[in-house]
Amino acid sequence: MKIVSVVGARPQFIKLAPVSRAIRAAGHHEIIVHTGQHYDERMSGAFFVELDIPQPDHNLGIGSGRHGEQTGHMLAAIEDALLRERPDGLVVFGDTNSTLAAALAAVKLHIPVGHVEAGLRSFDRKMPEEINRVVTDHVASQLYCPTQAAVDHLKDEGVTSGVHLTGDVMFDMLLSMRPRLEQRERDLLRQFGVTAGAFTLATVHRAASTDDPEALSRIMDGLQRLESAVVFPIHPRTRKLIDQYGLHVGGQIQVVEPLGYLDMLTLTASAFRVVTDSGGVQKEAFLLGTPCVTLRDSTEWPETINAGWNTLVAFDPDAMLAAWRAEPPDRPIVNPYGEGDAAQRIAALLSAWPATR
Ligand code: UD1
Ligand code: UDP
């Protein structure tokens, strides 16, 4: 079968890596389409090299823009690519504008859509990602859910056909990298001048955290008040807005370029605490046993909260410090994200799709 996988933003390259490998191992002909939503080398190209993902067959070069503008340009360009490729199915990942555009382009051409990371909900419709998830789930014909909670959300919305509990492909990916973290740790900690278990790893990029100068200023203030060094791999969006607002970032906060995946996981495992508004990073902190402080008031990964390893603090510096100081529970972490074979399960489900053309 001919399958088109569409990606565009950093977390999607990480999700694509195991899925692409499994799709090809199952004997399918995979075509990779990169929308170009992320384009800096460290946000895009570097992941294809590091994770050994085949180079995209089509790079649409869409780049940045307002939501409608960016999504609209993607929709037109993906439609062109699909008309040329005429695949039997299309796979999308997560909840970005690239996900939404690809799902819409395909479904209008009657190409069945498979959604990796289906059923996640924050129940906050002001998040662009929530709109992208809901729409994508409602046009997809195969829905690959990472958790039982995701299956339940879809059921609550009346989506029951084509729903599969596969486990989480990011857990597959993390498992495959885990044996390499210990070896990488010493050099990396030396590079950043920090000590294992005595620093904080922070990431910030979400619209809600960065588009409002007051929110971003409170977050930076909160990071400044933590009682450890802070390594802060900065998303280009956040760098631009910090400059635009004229915020001062210094002192214990060490701003560094976006990291590669192995380095990011290594620092996550080694940190005393992770402070983030990222979806993927919350989950990785949990799986690597590092308590997480989340700069949001909702999350798509409630299992991490229920286990006591993640705390939502929104943008409140006092709450941030209190959560950062708190000790995690000593009960063992129960992993709700599958068996590490989500990508293979997805590839097997694709094989069950009737070839349509
Ligand atoms: C996007 C996703 C978000 C995801 C995140 C992962 C949407 C609506 N948002 O957010 O769900 O969590 O990716 O990182 O799809 N920029 C660069 N270089 C790049 C990429 C972006 O400079 O390579 C800057 C541009 O100024 C751009 C801004 O970052 O306007 C935002 O990029 P965009 O892709 O629109 O959204 P993200 O915040 O990255
Ligand atoms: N990540 C990375 N380098 C970084 C920051 C994040 O490799 O400097 C990885 C991180 O380990 C996770 C994914 O990118 O696997 C999360 O992406 P991001 O935070 O951009 O998006 P989200 O998950 O919030 O959609």
Side-chain angles (χ1 to χ4, degrees):
M1 267 169 83
K2 189 175 187 180
I3 305 289
V4 166
S5 300
V6 181
V7 288
R10 173 168 63 190
Q12 295 174 315
F13 311 135
I14 294 163
K15 292 165 201 177
L16 173 64
V19 174
S20 175
R21 209 168 299 135
I23 287 180
R24 288 166 195 247
H28 300 303
H29 176 198
E30 187 197 32
I31 302 287
I32 297 178
V33 175
H34 187 327
T35 63
Q37 177 170 353
H38 286 179
Y39 42 84
D40 290 352
E41 179 58 22
R42 286 172 191 269
M43 295 295 290
S44 173
F47 289 96
F48 284 80
V49 176
E50 181 184 0
L51 305 180
D52 206 17
I53 306 168
Q55 285 303 310
D57 300 276
H58 301 269
N59 198 326
L60 307 179
I62 302 297
S64 307
R66 296 184 311 273
H67 284 283
E69 184 186 36
Q70 185 186 52
T71 312
H73 285 138
M74 286 176 188
L75 187 54
I78 295 168
E79 184 180 63
D80 274 348
L82 293 178
L83 286 170
R84 261 179 287 148
E85 295 290 353
R86 304 196 63 78
D88 300 300
L90 171 128
V91 179
V92 290
F93 303 80
D95 53 21
T96 73
N97 288 348
S98 299
T99 315
L100 174 66
L104 285 180
V107 78
K108 297 267 181 135
L109 294 172
H110 304 165
I111 296 166
V113 175
H115 185 200
V116 177
E117 236 182 47
L120 296 183
R121 295 290 180 270
S122 66
F123 301 102
D124 175 1
R125 293 252 170 145
K126 288 217 172 97
M127 282 181 79
E129 293 84 359
E130 184 77 352
I131 305 298
N132 294 343
R133 290 179 198 120
V134 170
V135 176
T136 303
D137 283 340
H138 283 255
V139 299
S141 38
Q142 284 194 349
L143 300 104
Y144 316 120
C145 295
T147 58
Q148 182 59 43
V151 174
D152 296 342
H153 294 150
L154 292 173
K155 192 167 173 223
D156 292 344
E157 293 174 18
V159 180
T160 50
S161 159
V163 175
H164 304 276
L165 177 58
T166 55
D168 181 24
V169 298
M170 284 183 83
F171 176 53
D172 297 11
M173 200 52 205
L174 183 144
L175 272 186
S176 72
M177 300 296 277
R178 199 151 60 186
R180 296 168 54 196
L181 306 190
E182 203 179 313
Q183 206 196 344
R184 179 73 182 122
E185 187 178 29
R186 211 162 57 110
D187 282 353
L188 197 59
L189 296 189
R190 192 178 305 139
Q191 184 184 328
F192 293 123
V194 291
T195 310
F199 69 96
T200 301
L201 176 67
T203 78
V204 178
H205 75 275
R206 237 162 247 294
S209 318
T210 57
D211 285 356
D212 172 17
E214 173 68 21
L216 188 53
S217 160
R218 294 184 80 203
I219 289 172
M220 298 320 296
D221 180 37
L223 291 179
Q224 188 59 56
R225 285 169 50 190
L226 301 179
E227 293 153 343
S228 79
V230 178
V231 178
F232 185 32
I234 195 161
H235 191 290
R237 170 190 198 114
T238 312
R239 187 188 282 284
K240 274 180 202 162
L241 290 168
I242 283 178
D243 289 348
Q244 193 179 308
Y245 304 152
L247 298 179
H248 171 71
V249 182
Q252 67 184 12
I253 305 174
Q254 190 182 160
V255 175
V256 303
E257 292 297 325
L259 297 172
Y261 182 59
L262 173 65
D263 288 0
M264 185 67 193
L265 290 185
T266 302
L267 288 187
T268 302
S270 183
F272 172 68
R273 298 286 183 266
V274 167
V275 178
T276 191
D277 63 359
S278 159
V281 175
Q282 285 173 64
K283 192 175 45 188
E284 288 165 352
F286 172 76
L287 289 166
L288 292 168
T290 303
C292 185
V293 178
T294 294
L295 306 166
R296 292 180 45 190
D297 48 24
S298 63
T299 180
E300 305 74 42
W301 304 105
E303 311 80 19
T304 60
I305 307 278
N306 299 339
W309 282 76
N310 187 10
T311 312
L312 302 176
V313 298
F315 314 135
D316 178 350
D318 294 331
M320 204 191 291
L321 181 59
W324 183 92
R325 283 182 177 152
E327 283 304 317
D330 51 15
R331 54 182 186 272
I333 296 186
V334 179
N335 167 26
Y337 299 120
E339 309 294 328
D341 59 356
Q344 275 108 303
R345 287 173 188 244
I346 289 167
L349 287 162
L350 285 172
S351 305
W353 240 341
T356 50
R357 59 199 73 224

